[in-house]
């Protein structure tokens, strides 16, 4: 779930990027100095400079969008819709390479039909999921192709290397730099030499778990999503692999062999459960290294039971996270805290930002259960990333005269290169970690 940047947001401005912020975003993307003067290892197809291709308008998809999914939810999300927008990258001259890769994969799976089957790319699109036509829930890049032989041969494949919105990159950067600060061997998990258990609460289009599954060969990823309509939208319109889903009754028009052909085993690392997160965590027997929480309903509310310090969810979650390096990362809408004074101002913020007044309470609740917590502001969006972890692991070491804050931030920044190299990230972690970095007191 994401919001656009604004200082004192009106309802429309809260859902779009302001023109001044957009100009600043494009300047940062274009400026090597702003990116730390470091050369990026590869093109970041989810760079914020492409946001105009998928952002749409403040009150809906906007001109040029094509609605590819629309269904009413019975789980509090209102109307769940997916809009498609043309993507400029990769350009059409690069499509033949992907077509050859698909044909090679097909030949390995079906040697007898290697000469008969041909694959053609139809194009790449941004697919944007919305709740109630307004709030952007998630964004993913999807490839569409077809196989020339057989029936029902249209394929959709989400591009797992593309993280399209800054708050997801912020969550990934903060999480993956915190783990090695707590002595977790991240490169071992990336290479598959060590197992890594990850839990994602809230599914959306599935871009985060797909990204993690594609980067960590040793990953076992469980996703919990309460709304089957959201799951169906991710499969039917956003290219998420159907075989990863447990107990989904709806029929898909995609070919039965789509996942084996497209994903090459990445989908086998993912299990998506349609369940209430509170119930799931109570009965789950796994011990997780990393937990991501991004769970908002159609009214843009982060359910209280997911942050109530005295509730059963928080108590059970604490037991299901590794006692030494276990890390929990939460996406929070933080257009701002409510002002301390001014009745009219408070009423305005309450009507626009239902979660604004609770951000500090959420942060303190997670700190109370895990011992240590910090936040980072998300560039260009009114979101913050909350990270909670075991205090003994991350606070150990000599400070050498540094303040507590600077010591922790220095540890995190020192691991950013390790993360980027181990995973081949197309974006720098450092900028997301240090942006608005604060310890939760």
């Amino acid at each position: 779930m994401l919001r656009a940047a604004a200082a004192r947001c009106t309802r429309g401005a809260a859902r779009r990027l302001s023109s001044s912020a957009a100009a600043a975003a494009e300047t940062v993307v274009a400026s090597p100095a702003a990116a730390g003067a470091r050369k990026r290892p590869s093109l970041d197809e989810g760079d914020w400079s492409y946001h105009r291709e998928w952002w749409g308008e403040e009150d809906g998809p906007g001109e040029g969008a094509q609605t590819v999914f629309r269904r009413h939810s019975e789980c509090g999300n209102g109307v769940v819709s997916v809009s498609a927008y043309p993507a400029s990258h990769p350009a059409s001259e690069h499509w033949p390479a992907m077509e050859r890769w698909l044909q090679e994969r097909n030949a390995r799976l079906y040697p007898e039909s290697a000469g008969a089957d041909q694959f053609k790319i139809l194009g790449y699109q941004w697919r944007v999921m919305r709740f109630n036509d307004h709030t952007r829930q998630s964004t993913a890049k999807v490839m569409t192709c077809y196989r020339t032989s057989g029936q029902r041969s249209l394929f959709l494949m989400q591009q797992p290397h593309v993280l399209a919105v800054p708050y997801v990159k912020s969550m990934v950067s903060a999480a993956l730099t915190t783990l090695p600060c707590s002595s977790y061997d991240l490169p071992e998990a990336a290479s598959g030499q060590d197992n890594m258990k990850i839990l994602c609460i809230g599914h959306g289009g599935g871009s985060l778990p797909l990204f993690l599954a594609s980067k960590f060969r040793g990953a076992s990823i469980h996703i919990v999503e309460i709304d089957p309509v959201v799951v169906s939208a991710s499969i039917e319109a956003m290219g998420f692999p159907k075989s990863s889903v447990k107990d989904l009754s709806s029929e898909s028009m995609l070919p039965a062999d789509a996942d084996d052909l497209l994903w090459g085993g990445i989908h086998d690392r993912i299990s998506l459960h349609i369940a209430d997160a509170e119930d799931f965590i109570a009965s789950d027997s796994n011990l997780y290294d990393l937990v991501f929480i991004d769970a908002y309903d159609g009214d843009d509310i982060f359910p209280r039971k997911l942050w109530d310090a005295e509730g059963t969810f928080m108590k059970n979650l604490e037991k299901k996270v590794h006692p030494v390096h276990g890390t929990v990362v939460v996406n929070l809408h933080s257009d701002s805290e409510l002002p301390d004074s001014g009745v009219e101002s408070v009423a305005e913020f309450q009507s626009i930002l239902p979660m604004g007044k609770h951000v500090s309470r959420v942060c303190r609740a997670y700190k109370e259960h895990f011992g240590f917590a910090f936040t980072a502001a998300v560039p260009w969006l009114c979101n913050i990333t909350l990270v909670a972890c075991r205090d003994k692991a991350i606070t150990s070491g000599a400070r050498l005269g540094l303040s507590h804050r600077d010591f922790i931030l220095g540890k995190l920044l020192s691991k950013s290169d390790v993360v980027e190299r181990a995973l081949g990230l197309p974006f720098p972690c450092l900028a997301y970690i240090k942006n608005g970095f604060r310890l939760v007191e």
Side-chain angles (χ1 to χ4, degrees), residues 355-372:
M355 275 305 301
K357 61 182 178 180
H358 297 302
V359 168
S360 292
R361 294 173 63 188
V362 174
C363 294
R364 288 194 295 268
Y366 276 85
K367 181 180 186 295
E368 176 182 330
H369 278 273
F370 294 96
F372 179 84

Side-chain angles (χ1 to χ4, degrees), residues 99-360:
E99 292 170 347
R100 288 192 296 271
W101 180 87
L102 287 167
Q103 289 181 203
E104 290 170 2
R105 286 280 308 155
N106 190 71
R108 287 196 292 271
L109 290 173
Y110 309 108
E112 69 282 358
S113 62
D117 289 340
Q118 297 292 317
F119 285 84
K120 295 295 181 184
I121 303 294
L122 293 175
Y124 291 79
Q125 290 181 325
W126 295 109
R127 298 287 177 97
V128 181
M129 183 184 295
R130 286 180 171 83
F131 290 166
N132 292 320
D133 293 326
H134 298 299
T135 303
R136 299 170 185 82
Q137 207 286 333
S138 57
T139 300
K141 180 172 281 188
V142 175
M143 176 202 71
T144 307
C145 67
Y146 70 96
R147 184 169 52 197
T148 56
S149 64
Q151 295 180 341
R152 300 193 343 180
S153 57
L154 185 69
F155 295 84
L156 295 178
M157 181 186 183
Q158 189 173 140
Q159 304 299 282
H161 60 286
V162 179
L163 294 180
V165 288
Y167 88 80
V168 183
K169 291 178 181 176
S170 177
M171 293 177 75
V172 166
S173 298
L176 298 184
T177 50
T178 300
L179 278 176
C181 286
S182 303
S183 302
Y184 183 83
D185 197 331
L186 201 74
E188 290 284 302
S191 65
Q193 299 177 65
D194 196 6
N195 294 324
M196 182 183 195
K197 289 195 175 180
I198 303 172
L199 174 64
C200 297
I201 296 177
H203 176 58
S207 60
L208 176 57
L210 280 176
F211 176 85
L212 296 169
S214 70
K215 295 298 184 181
F216 290 99
R217 295 182 182 179
S220 174
I221 302 172
H222 291 266
I223 312 167
V224 183
E225 170 58 52
I226 195 171
D227 192 344
V229 174
V230 169
V231 175
S232 294
S234 74
I235 295 169
E236 297 176 30
M238 301 186 79
F240 188 84
K242 180 183 179 182
S243 58
S244 298
V245 186
K246 311 302 178 186
D247 304 319
L248 182 67
S249 59
S250 63
E251 292 292 329
S252 173
M253 295 299 293
L254 300 176
D257 63 344
D259 289 352
D260 290 335
L261 176 67
L262 298 174
W263 294 104
I266 290 176
H267 62 297
D268 293 331
R269 302 169 193 160
I270 301 175
S271 298
L272 199 167
H273 310 268
I274 300 176
D276 183 286
E278 185 177 30
D279 297 336
F280 179 87
I281 205 71
S283 60
D284 188 25
S285 60
N286 288 301
L287 188 68
Y288 292 101
D289 303 298
L290 191 55
V291 178
F292 291 92
I293 303 176
D294 182 18
Y296 287 80
D297 63 18
D299 292 323
D300 216 9
I301 300 295
F302 182 39
R304 183 184 178 87
K305 65 182 179 181
L306 299 185
W307 58 270
D308 182 1
E310 303 302 321
T312 58
F313 172 81
M314 291 291 290
K315 293 177 181 178
N316 286 324
L317 180 64
E318 183 180 350
K319 300 173 185 176
K320 302 300 170 64
V321 176
H322 193 280
V324 176
H325 60 255
T327 300
V328 179
V329 186
V330 186
N331 173 44
L332 293 174
H333 293 174
S334 62
D335 300 59
S336 75
E337 291 287 340
L338 288 175
D340 294 329
S341 61
V343 175
E344 181 179 349
S345 180
V346 170
E348 176 187 351
F349 273 80
Q350 284 178 327
S351 66
I352 297 170
L353 308 168
M355 275 305 301
K357 61 182 178 180
H358 297 302
V359 168
S360 292

